[in-house]
């Protein structure tokens, strides 16, 4: 009887979270400074976030009203057994054709901070992106409320124009200054207000859902306690600042001060080393920590740039270090290639989209699926054995920081250091 009651309780807690999304172009006005096309959902941009509980099922009926194919990738979700819903166009699916509809059905068996974005060409940079928060019914840390805070870079020009410039072999054109704007929590950074009540503890979920740049987040006069990184809960670490690269997420606990006498400033500063503009690196974006609409802003500038070393973080699951069965080394470069365009590469191989989605090739080629050449030379395919532990060594030879993301997995960070 007890087991039956527990089973019914688990079923009752799970819900179906269903959305009907028309993916379409939207005119977005950036604080009356400029208006440009963004890719929005149901006529809205920024796109409202998705919130669910662990154990729920997320169903998204996505209708493509763009002038090109599209897709939706739930970033950080394992898709174990359902990677045909992973949304990586021409890797796990063909993409949603113009005027077509595709339904993603995703079992949310994880908890944490994630996001949803296009995985077709540069549509993420043009705005097809939003937060995905999966709450844990058995939360480890205690807090009174939460604030979901996406951090986004935004440009005057559409992504197609910027990519053409960035890929130009002439450095005078490639490095022509482009100054991005910051959108924090769905609004221009300088207009954003974080409303805190004295003495309460908040979980602030930081998500860098932008296209290109790292953000450094800090709050003057407040201490941050890091508790989650990319969906993995970690032992609490005290800090005054958190850096999140493109695609990365972090949760911090912040206990509000016990007074409403003053308001304070938070920073969402953007690293623009990719653009080689020392004068604008970092770009300083600030908003308001508001205790009272009538209070003045008090500036406190101590220790805001303190960061946590990734190797000092300890996941709560305390998994021992794994022993690798094989090693894959990836040397990341950028430069001018034979077609006279500026491109990025792994091991001097630039990626080219295959004619048939990689997953379909793997499922239909029989024994040939174990041969890298069937996937296309420019896909840079590595064949792995099922359940092997793989050590991936990523050497970044570029002059700027570059986060890397692995679909369907979390990984142990074993070592970090400088190449030179």
């Amino acid at each position: 009887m007890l087991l039956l009651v527990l089973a019914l309780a688990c079923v009752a807690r799970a819900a179906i979270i269903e959305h009907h999304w028309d993916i379409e172009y939207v005119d977005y006005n950036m604080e009356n400074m400029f208006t440009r096309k963004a890719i929005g959902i149901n006529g809205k941009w920024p796109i409202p976030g998705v919130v669910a509980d662990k154990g729920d099922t997320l169903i998204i009926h996505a209708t493509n009203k763009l002038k090109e194919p599209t897709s939706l990738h739930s970033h950080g979700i394992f898709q174990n057994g359902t990677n045909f819903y992973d949304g990586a166009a021409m890797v796990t699916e063909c993409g949603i054709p113009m005027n077509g509809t595709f339904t993603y059905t995703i079992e949310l068996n994880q908890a944490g901070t994630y996001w949803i974005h296009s995985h077709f060409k540069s549509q993420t940079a043009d705005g097809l992106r939003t937060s995905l928060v999966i709450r844990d019914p058995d939360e480890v840390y205690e807090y009174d409320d939460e604030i979901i805070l996406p951090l986004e870079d935004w440009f005057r020009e559409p992504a197609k124009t910027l990519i053409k410039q960035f890929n130009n072999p002439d450095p005078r054109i490639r490095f022509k200054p482009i100054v991005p704007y910051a959108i924090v929590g769905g609004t221009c950074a300088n207009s954003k207000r974080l409303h805190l009540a004295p003495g309460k503890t908040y979980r602030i979920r930081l998500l860098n859902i932008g296209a290109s740049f790292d953000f450094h987040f800090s709050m003057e006069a407040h201490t941050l306690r890091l508790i989650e990184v990319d969906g993995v809960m970690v032992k609490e670490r005290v800090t005054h600042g958190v850096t999140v690269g493109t695609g990365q997420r972090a949760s911090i606990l912040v206990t509000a001060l016990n007074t409403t006498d003053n308001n304070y400033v938070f920073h969402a500063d953007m690293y623009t080393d990719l653009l080689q503009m020392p004068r604008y690196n970092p770009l300083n974006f600030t908003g308001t920590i508001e205790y009272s609409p009538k209070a003045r802003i008090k500036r406190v500038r101590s220790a805001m740039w303190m960061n946590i070393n990734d190797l000092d973080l300890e996941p709560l699951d305390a998994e021992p270090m794994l022993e690798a069965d094989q090693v894959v080394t990836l040397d990341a470069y950028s430069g001018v290639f034979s077609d006279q365009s500026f491109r990025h590469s792994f091991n001097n191989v630039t990626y080219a989209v295959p004619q048939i989605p990689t997953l379909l090739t793997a499922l239909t080629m029989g024994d040939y699926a174990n041969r890298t050449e069937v996937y296309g030379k420019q896909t840079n395919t590595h064949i792995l054995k099922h359940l092997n532990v793989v050590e991936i060594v990523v050497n970044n030879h570029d002059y700027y920081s570059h986060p890397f993301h692995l679909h369907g997995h979390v990984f142990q960070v074993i070592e970090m250091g400088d190449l030179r």
Side-chain angles (χ1 to χ4, degrees), residues 96-110:
I96 308 170
M98 291 180 288
N99 299 313
T101 298
F102 185 83
T103 297
Y104 296 89
T105 302
I106 304 169
E107 301 292 335
L108 302 178
N109 299 316
Q110 303 158 244

Side-chain angles (χ1 to χ4, degrees), residues 59-136:
I59 299 175
I60 299 177
H61 306 282
T63 298
N64 180 14
K65 294 188 174 182
L66 306 178
K67 298 177 181 178
E68 62 182 3
T70 190
S71 70
L72 294 175
H73 168 57
S74 297
H75 188 113
I77 301 301
F78 295 152
Q79 302 286 11
N80 189 3
T82 56
N83 51 349
F84 41 82
Y85 290 137
D86 192 51
M90 298 313 294
V91 177
T92 60
E93 65 171 71
C94 294
I96 308 170
M98 291 180 288
N99 299 313
T101 298
F102 185 83
T103 297
Y104 296 89
T105 302
I106 304 169
E107 301 292 335
L108 302 178
N109 299 316
Q110 303 158 244
T113 309
Y114 307 94
W115 61 302
I116 299 172
H117 62 89
S118 173
H119 218 293
F120 183 83
K121 292 186 176 179
S122 54
Q123 291 175 357
T124 296
D126 282 329
L128 187 42
R129 59 202 190 193
T130 192
S131 58
L132 169 60
V133 169
I134 308 172
R135 294 176 176 145
D136 194 337

Side-chain angles (χ1 to χ4, degrees), residues 208-370:
N208 185 344
I209 63 173
S212 301
F213 305 119
D214 295 357
F215 278 92
H216 184 274
F217 181 84
S218 60
M219 301 172 66
E220 294 186 10
H222 294 71
T223 298
L224 316 182
R225 292 173 283 152
L226 183 66
I227 61 167
E228 179 211 359
V229 176
D230 292 343
V232 177
M233 301 302 292
V234 297
K235 293 182 180 180
E236 183 180 301
R237 300 286 298 192
V238 175
T239 182
H240 290 280
V242 175
T243 297
V244 281
T246 304
Q248 293 183 317
R249 297 89 61 208
S251 283
I252 53 176
L253 295 180
V254 177
T255 299
L257 305 180
N258 282 314
T259 175
T260 60
D261 291 345
N262 300 292
N263 295 329
Y264 298 88
V265 167
F266 74 82
H267 294 252
D269 299 323
M270 187 189 301
Y271 290 105
T272 59
D273 48 357
L274 170 65
L275 300 178
Q276 287 196 341
M277 299 187 305
R279 178 183 172 187
Y280 300 106
N281 189 30
L283 284 172
N284 302 120
F285 295 99
T286 60
T288 303
I289 306 167
E290 184 174 290
Y291 285 91
S292 169
K294 298 180 180 179
R296 67 180 182 89
I297 292 179
K298 182 179 180 180
R299 298 303 305 269
V300 181
R301 299 179 179 274
S302 60
M304 289 185 299
W305 289 94
M306 170 182 160
N307 262 322
I308 292 177
N309 187 321
D310 288 356
L311 292 177
D312 292 334
L313 298 175
E314 299 180 68
L316 291 182
D317 63 13
E319 181 183 59
M321 190 176 78
L322 301 173
E323 293 293 331
D325 298 305
Q326 68 183 100
V327 178
V328 173
T329 300
L330 301 174
D331 287 295
Y333 295 94
S334 64
V336 179
F337 281 76
S338 57
D339 62 354
Q340 295 305 301
S341 65
F342 183 85
R343 297 180 181 273
H344 295 81
S345 69
F346 276 134
N347 300 341
N348 286 322
V349 177
T350 58
Y351 181 78
V353 175
Q355 294 183 347
I356 298 173
T358 304
L359 179 61
L360 299 185
T361 299
L363 293 175
T364 59
M365 290 300 292
D367 291 340
Y368 287 100
N370 293 315

Side-chain angles (χ1 to χ4, degrees), residues 105-180:
T105 302
I106 304 169
E107 301 292 335
L108 302 178
N109 299 316
Q110 303 158 244
T113 309
Y114 307 94
W115 61 302
I116 299 172
H117 62 89
S118 173
H119 218 293
F120 183 83
K121 292 186 176 179
S122 54
Q123 291 175 357
T124 296
D126 282 329
L128 187 42
R129 59 202 190 193
T130 192
S131 58
L132 169 60
V133 169
I134 308 172
R135 294 176 176 145
D136 194 337
D138 303 311
E139 183 60 72
V140 176
Y141 292 100
E142 294 184 359
Y143 48 90
D144 299 299
D145 204 350
E146 72 174 11
I147 299 172
I148 301 171
L149 205 62
L151 309 173
E152 309 175 57
D153 50 25
W154 191 242
F155 303 87
R156 288 179 177 267
E157 303 82 3
K160 184 182 295 185
T161 300
L162 295 178
I163 290 172
K164 185 177 180 180
Q165 175 181 327
F166 292 156
N167 288 345
N168 195 296
D170 186 342
R172 294 170 299 178
I173 298 176
R174 186 165 72 248
F175 297 122
K176 181 181 177 182
I178 298 173
V179 181

